[in-house]
Amino acid sequence: MPTSTDSATVRPPASGVRRSSQARILDRLATNIKPGQLDWIGLRTVRRGEIAEVESVQALAEQGLEGDHRCRKTRGSGRQVTIISREFIEQICRHMGRESIDPALLRRNLVVSGMNLNLLRHQILQIGEAIIVPGALCHPCLRMNENLGEGGVAAMYGYGGLCAKIVRSGTIQVGDAVTRLPLDTEVF
């Protein structure tokens, strides 16, 4: 009988999703969450460069979004794609006293709507053909004061969105449903 230290018996979760107690709690809370929608896609072609708004993009597993500068960075990074919700942007607008904010100013890759983004941390999301796993919070950087004006970082604090890893490649496009999948979903 194999022991617990036998490498043949030690396997990561099939989905590649961290099954921490926080992930399991969020999984139970998110059981009946309704699908949202992908509203916007932006690619950061070079570090600190302009954001290219696109209608569709190829998500590459373990790499990032094709054409985004992060795609050429460390393979397997947990920051392959960044996500913010339309609802978070509306909250940032209220804090800044603005009517609207161009998503490109926030330097995130994807804007989704209709879902509680905080509940989707450590969950499995399908967007179009791709499957991603949001993990870390995407905290605002000091550049937000440059882009939004003084107080931009403070306005975004707690509303910066999530960093995610792409675990299955596929095309995503504006208008695609954003669907949360159960933690036991096989994604490879």
Side-chain angles (χ1 to χ4, degrees), residues 6-78:
D6 184 345
S7 63
T9 62
V10 178
R11 289 192 171 131
S15 64
V17 177
R18 203 174 102 205
R19 294 225 173 42
S20 66
S21 58
Q22 182 182 26
R24 289 189 304 274
I25 290 167
L26 292 172
D27 183 57
R28 284 192 299 271
L29 294 173
T31 299
N32 296 315
I33 195 168
K34 303 276 189 266
Q37 177 178 299
L38 179 61
D39 294 341
W40 185 88
I41 303 170
L43 303 177
R44 300 159 299 180
T45 55
V46 295
R47 185 179 182 275
R48 294 190 62 89
E50 296 296 316
I51 302 291
E53 183 177 344
V54 297
E55 289 297 312
S56 69
V57 68
Q58 187 69 22
L60 304 172
E62 300 297 323
Q63 295 181 55
L65 300 178
E66 191 171 59
D68 189 82
H69 82 97
R70 298 286 307 183
C71 192
R72 297 183 299 272
K73 303 276 183 177
T74 308
R75 189 172 177 87
S77 163

Side-chain angles (χ1 to χ4, degrees), residues 4 7 63 66 70-71 80 117 120 122 150 158 174 185:
S4 61
S7 63
Q63 295 181 55
E66 191 171 59
R70 298 286 307 183
C71 192
Q80 295 166 6
L117 195 59
L120 299 175
H122 306 299
E150 199 58 40
V174 172
T185 300

Side-chain angles (χ1 to χ4, degrees), residues 124-132 168 172 176-181:
I124 302 171
L125 300 181
Q126 181 163 1
I127 305 174
E129 298 171 347
I131 295 183
I132 67 170
R168 188 171 77 194
I172 62 173
D176 278 345
V178 179
T179 307
R180 182 210 155 263
L181 304 174

Side-chain angles (χ1 to χ4, degrees), residues 45-119:
T45 55
V46 295
R47 185 179 182 275
R48 294 190 62 89
E50 296 296 316
I51 302 291
E53 183 177 344
V54 297
E55 289 297 312
S56 69
V57 68
Q58 187 69 22
L60 304 172
E62 300 297 323
Q63 295 181 55
L65 300 178
E66 191 171 59
D68 189 82
H69 82 97
R70 298 286 307 183
C71 192
R72 297 183 299 272
K73 303 276 183 177
T74 308
R75 189 172 177 87
S77 163
R79 192 183 170 102
Q80 295 166 6
V81 63
T82 54
I83 309 165
I84 194 167
S85 70
R86 176 76 53 202
E87 293 79 5
F88 282 4
I89 296 172
E90 290 168 0
Q91 189 64 38
I92 296 164
C93 285
R94 281 192 281 284
H95 288 305
M96 294 296 298
R98 297 172 72 162
E99 290 294 316
S100 66
I101 294 174
D102 179 354
L105 291 174
L106 303 176
R107 308 199 56 79
R108 302 303 187 252
N109 296 118
L110 306 177
V111 176
V112 300
S113 62
M115 301 178 91
N116 180 346
L117 195 59
N118 285 328
L119 191 58

